[in-house]
Amino acid sequence: MVSVNSVTVSFGGYNLFDNVSFLINAKDRIGLAGKNGAGKSTMLKLLAGHQSPTKGEVTIPKDCKIGYLPQDMTHQHGRTVFEETETAFAEIQAMQARLDDINHQLETRTDYESDAYMKLIEDLTEINTRLDIVGASNTTEEIEKILMGLGFERKEFSRQTSEFSGGWRMRIELAKLLLQKPDVLMLDEPTNHLDIEAIQWLEEFMETFGGAVVLISHDKTFLDTVTKRTIEIVNQKIYDYRTNYSHYLELRAERKEQQENAAKNQQRIINQYETLIDKNRAKASKAAFAQSLIKKLDKMDRVEVDDVDTASVRFRFPAPAHSGKIVITAEHAGKKYGEKQIFSDANFIITKGEKIGLVGRNGEGKSTMMKMIAKKIQFDGTVQLGHSVLMGYFEQDQEEKLNLDKTVFETIDELAVGDVRRQVRSLLGSFLFGGEDIDKKVKVLSGGERGRLALCKLLLEPYNLLLLDEPTNHLDIKSKEVLKQALIDYEGTIVMVSHDRDFMTGMCDRLFEFRDGHVKEYLCDIKEFMEIRKVERLNQLDLDKSGVKAVPVAEKKTAGTSVSSSDFEAAEKKKQQTQIASQIKKAEEQIERLELEIKTLDDKLAIPASYEELTKDPNFFNSYNKLKKDLETEMAKWEDLSSRLG
């Protein structure tokens, strides 16, 4: 469908790509991979026809329709959400206008036998056939389905696009692309402005999408779900892997190991040649032999080891200060903006060491709850912090609140106190700010660099409560993995909002869902929650089609029975009990693992030789005591859950 033939792209004498070629076939699902600055977005622009190569060509057939969603774009105003989305059907609208004109002519003209009249009839037949093929009769239904899948509500269809944030306007652009049903869909970070449910809907849409897809994303789960082929851009070349992102990482590691081994073997041969040349070049009888070796070296194709980017954020959160067992208590908490009730009557308790995820669609109140906990806004009810709670708050737009006129170093240095003051350069280095970077003004930093700097500020105090609102925005996949491990190892309490499922997997003890004005607790991980949501959405679609009033999953009974409030309560209680039982099982597995680790160490400590070996590590007893502390925490969690399993 799209052919890249010997393409070179140069900027200021530097080649971004050098003589690369590949083919995009019908129904391909391709993810572009490579470190930041490798040229992924540039490649997407070339494929979409928005940029021309320095050499070579990108061939796109005339009848191939390209749909391209860049990271940043200019949005049109002056229309409602529905009207703007409807512009996706410009071709249909033009054909319908032409159809109206033909019908009018056929009604008014009398030259029935003329060639011009017969041509009108031929055009009429052709246009009607084309309208049937593109599904012109159900455009309204298609628009509603796509907009609602991307998170819009019907009542928002009539609102002006200018009333929405940039993220929501980007969703409108994505909706228009999906409705146009292009032959090749090219997406640059399409999940940046989508919540978890909208991302899951987009994945399901991609399963049935008839064209090819080429995308860039830092969402590992999205890449693994959607793509079946990965094209890596590295060292001005490309490598084509017929697999998804996770498997590509394994194959790339194997390729790099093979390159390193080949380079070592070649270097041994080169060293041998150079030794022989040095020995024999001065001897008249061996001069010809030495010259032949020199020629062999000159002709030798040197093995190149790809420069894979290994730089990533690396850090650990400082040990948190001691806090009371109860960290946050919410009672009848709610928030209104004018007449709009965001949510009401939220009641929950968060205890020391818990990791809580706030989930739900955009606009349902997740960030609002974070601001309520941080006492940034007024609200109804109470949200109370516990004894000795020291809170660190990473806001969704944290990077925008940095002082643009300060340097990177000044931003951290002015907040650092005590021993941290002497470690500012080292701390910034762990967030990839080294050398001259620390003297850059904040205003010249990229979005990703500002996000890293804002995250770095959280390490300046021994906070025992972290509020993290979309902390992975602008982070690459490797940096997300480091941050995730640091949060898993963190001994304090975390309340987090994130739309990255891979980041949240294995992280949260409980989830609070914000939906339809209420806050509901789920005792499960993000994968199980998404399965629950998927089932409910599919059931809702079935009910919508049949015209039956929707009933929540928890209220559903067998066919033919009525649903009473007591039935609902019983079903709800059963679901909660199942979730608690699942959490108990996980706690028991953790307890068993920790007890085994502690017993193994105890057995070794009982043997003088192994005791001496173990205690050579100055951090051994800290790690040993942490295992015991973790065991106590899991035992307390198990007791609490068991008491709730009635």
Side-chain angles (χ1 to χ4, degrees):
M1 293 177 70
V2 178
S3 177
V4 177
N5 304 307
S6 304
V7 162
T8 296
V9 173
S10 302
F11 292 109
Y14 169 77
N15 285 347
L16 194 58
F17 315 121
D18 186 12
N19 197 36
V20 302
S21 301
F22 62 92
L23 186 67
I24 299 173
N25 304 300
K27 298 190 177 181
D28 263 345
R29 298 289 190 270
I30 300 171
L32 296 183
K35 67 180 183 181
N36 290 341
K40 298 187 295 294
S41 292
T42 300
M43 178 61 77
L44 214 58
K45 289 175 184 174
L46 288 170
L47 296 173
H50 287 246
Q51 187 170 323
S52 299
T54 308
K55 294 179 184 175
E57 61 177 0
V58 177
T59 306
I60 304 172
K62 287 184 179 179
D63 59 347
C64 179
K65 187 192 293 185
I66 302 291
Y68 171 54
L69 183 78
Q71 281 195 54
D72 303 299
M73 61 193 308
T74 304
H75 301 283
Q76 301 298 320
H77 297 308
R79 298 189 184 102
T80 66
V81 170
F82 192 92
E83 289 168 345
E84 180 61 33
T85 309
E86 198 176 25
T87 62
F89 295 116
E91 179 192 1
I92 290 176
Q93 291 166 348
M95 284 192 292
Q96 286 175 332
R98 174 61 178 152
L99 197 64
D100 290 341
D101 179 56
I102 290 173
N103 283 324
H104 176 70
Q105 289 192 55
L106 291 176
E107 289 172 4
T108 56
R109 291 176 62 157
T110 57
D111 54 334
Y112 308 123
E113 302 299 328
S114 68
D115 291 341
Y117 195 89
M118 295 306 294
K119 181 66 170 66
L120 286 175
I121 294 176
E122 287 175 11
D123 289 348
L124 178 71
T125 303
E126 185 179 326
I127 292 173
N128 276 320
T129 302
R130 177 64 181 158
L131 287 172
D132 286 339
I133 291 171
V134 298
S137 60
N138 62 344
T139 55
T140 299
E141 181 184 335
E142 286 288 303
I143 290 171
E144 290 183 356
K145 183 176 75 173
I146 297 291
L147 285 176
M148 293 178 73
L150 290 172
F152 288 94
E153 297 180 14
R154 273 199 177 86
K155 62 185 178 184
E156 295 174 320
F157 291 178
S158 58
R159 287 176 57 188
Q160 291 289 312
T161 58
S162 56
E163 297 176 31
F164 290 86
S165 67
W168 283 96
R169 292 200 294 271
M170 189 64 77
R171 293 189 189 206
I172 296 171
E173 297 302 322
L174 178 55
K176 287 159 61 176
L177 280 183
L178 299 181
L179 286 165
Q180 288 167 3
K181 299 176 183 174
D183 299 300
V184 185
L185 187 58
M186 301 187 183
L187 307 173
D188 196 346
E189 295 288 358
T191 64
N192 270 1
H193 304 289
L194 302 181
D195 54 49
I196 288 177
E197 289 189 42
I199 292 172
Q200 189 180 45
W201 175 89
L202 182 58
E203 288 172 352
E204 292 166 7
F205 180 91
M206 290 298 181
E207 288 178 9
T208 58
F209 176 67
V213 178
V214 184
L215 65 89
I216 301 167
S217 179
H218 285 156
D219 187 324
K220 187 176 177 182
T221 303
F222 184 74
L223 280 170
D224 280 345
T225 304
V226 174
T227 64
K228 301 291 185 291
R229 180 180 168 192
T230 304
I231 293 178
E232 181 190 29
I233 303 170
V234 59
N235 291 355
Q236 306 171 16
K237 305 188 294 288
I238 65 149
Y239 292 94
D240 199 340
Y241 297 84
R242 302 284 169 166
T243 187
N244 67 11
Y245 184 81
S246 289
H247 191 214
Y248 140 74
L249 290 177
E250 297 172 10
L251 295 175
R252 185 187 67 178
E254 292 175 8
R255 185 193 81 220
K256 190 168 189 295
E257 185 179 356
Q258 290 167 357
Q259 288 177 337
E260 288 170 345
N261 290 335
K264 286 177 185 175
N265 292 334
Q266 187 181 63
Q267 189 58 47
R268 277 197 292 269
I269 295 171
I270 291 170
N271 292 341
Q272 290 170 0
Y273 279 12
E274 288 176 342
T275 300
L276 289 171
I277 290 167
D278 290 340
K279 274 185 181 180
N280 296 297
R281 76 164 75 222
K283 299 176 183 177
S285 60
K286 298 286 186 178
F289 173 64
Q291 285 300 318
S292 69
L293 290 179
I294 291 171
K295 288 178 181 178
K296 280 186 178 181
L297 279 181
D298 289 340
K299 291 179 180 178
M300 187 178 289
D301 289 330
R302 302 299 172 104
V303 175
E304 289 186 21
V305 178
D306 291 330
D307 180 22
V308 178
D309 185 20
T310 56
S312 64
V313 175
R314 47 191 193 283
F315 68 96
R316 288 178 63 92
F317 285 99
H322 179 73
S323 74
K325 185 174 181 181
I326 304 299
V327 176
I328 303 172
T329 304
E331 294 181 341
H332 307 296
K335 177 61 183 175
K336 262 187 179 182
Y337 286 106
E339 295 299 312
K340 183 176 176 58
Q341 183 79 50
I342 306 301
F343 62 85
S344 62
D345 202 31
N347 298 280
F348 56 82
I349 293 174
I350 297 174
T351 58
K352 181 180 177 180
E354 281 196 294
K355 294 178 172 65
I356 305 297
L358 307 187
V359 297
R361 296 170 299 189
N362 288 347
E364 294 279 5
K366 302 185 298 296
S367 295
T368 299
M369 175 57 79
M370 299 289 256
K371 289 184 174 71
M372 289 164 61
I373 296 171
K375 300 291 190 285
K376 295 277 186 181
I377 56 174
Q378 297 293 318
F379 55 89
D380 302 323
T382 61
V383 178
Q384 189 68 39
L385 295 183
H387 178 66
S388 298
V389 172
L390 182 61
M391 179 184 64
Y393 181 25
F394 183 94
E395 297 183 69
Q396 193 173 140
D397 57 350
Q398 188 77 36
E399 67 273 11
E400 296 176 14
K401 298 186 177 181
L402 297 170
N403 188 326
L404 300 181
D405 293 319
K406 290 188 181 297
T407 67
V408 169
F409 182 83
E410 289 167 347
T411 300
I412 300 302
D413 186 58
E414 69 178 7
L415 297 174
V417 293
D419 292 340
V420 178
R421 193 73 183 268
R422 295 191 293 274
Q423 301 171 20
V424 170
R425 291 179 184 275
S426 172
L427 183 62
L428 286 169
S430 70
F431 280 83
L432 308 184
F433 294 107
E436 298 177 357
D437 290 340
I438 66 173
D439 296 319
K440 287 181 179 178
K441 296 276 190 184
V442 172
K443 60 186 169 189
V444 304
L445 300 180
S446 67
E449 289 171 327
R450 291 186 193 182
R452 295 202 309 268
L453 185 60
L455 205 53
C456 181
K457 291 173 67 176
L458 286 180
L459 272 67
L460 300 176
E461 296 281 350
Y463 299 117
N464 48 37
L465 169 63
L466 293 179
L467 303 182
L468 305 173
D469 195 352
E470 299 289 5
T472 62
N473 278 358
H474 306 299
L475 292 185
D476 60 34
I477 291 174
K478 286 187 296 180
S479 295
K480 286 181 189 180
E481 289 170 352
V482 175
L483 174 59
K484 177 178 178 176
Q485 190 57 52
L487 291 173
I488 289 173
D489 294 339
Y490 175 66
E491 297 176 16
T493 307
I494 297 172
V495 181
M496 176 177 64
V497 177
S498 178
H499 66 250
D500 191 312
R501 290 156 298 169
D502 183 70
F503 184 74
M504 292 188 75
T505 298
M507 175 96 68
C508 299
D509 304 309
R510 290 188 286 160
L511 301 175
F512 294 161
E513 184 192 26
F514 289 69
R515 191 177 190 87
D516 299 330
H518 301 287
V519 181
K520 184 177 178 181
E521 178 185 1
Y522 285 81
L523 294 170
C524 62
D525 64 17
I526 191 66
K527 287 186 177 178
E528 190 176 342
F529 171 77
M530 294 311 300
E531 284 301 313
I532 292 170
R533 269 279 145 260
K534 184 175 181 179
V535 170
E536 291 189 351
R537 189 170 65 254
L538 291 173
N539 286 338
Q540 180 65 54
L541 287 172
D542 289 341
L543 289 165
D544 285 347
K545 288 176 183 176
S546 63
V548 179
K549 186 179 182 295
V551 180
V553 167
E555 299 179 47
K556 290 186 181 298
K557 302 285 285 182
T558 55
T561 61
S562 61
V563 181
S564 65
S565 60
S566 60
D567 290 331
F568 170 71
E569 289 170 6
E572 196 69 5
K573 183 177 180 182
K574 183 178 179 182
K575 185 166 77 170
Q576 289 176 358
Q577 297 288 293
T578 301
Q579 292 173 354
I580 292 172
S582 173
Q583 290 293 104
I584 289 174
K585 183 179 178 183
K586 289 179 183 177
E588 288 172 345
E589 290 171 354
Q590 283 290 86
I591 289 167
E592 186 177 346
R593 180 185 64 80
L594 290 166
E595 285 178 337
L596 180 61
E597 286 187 37
I598 292 169
K599 183 180 183 304
T600 302
L601 290 175
D602 285 340
D603 291 343
K604 288 182 178 179
L605 289 170
I607 303 169
S610 58
Y611 176 91
E612 186 178 343
E613 183 65 29
L614 286 171
T615 54
K616 283 180 181 177
D617 181 358
N619 295 318
F620 170 74
F621 282 109
N622 286 338
S623 301
Y624 180 70
N625 290 328
K626 183 178 183 301
L627 283 174
K628 290 192 169 184
K629 186 178 177 183
D630 289 346
L631 179 59
E632 289 176 10
T633 301
E634 289 298 327
M635 291 292 289
K637 185 190 293 184
W638 181 86
E639 289 176 13
D640 177 56
L641 289 166
S642 297
S643 68
R644 293 161 65 182
L645 190 64

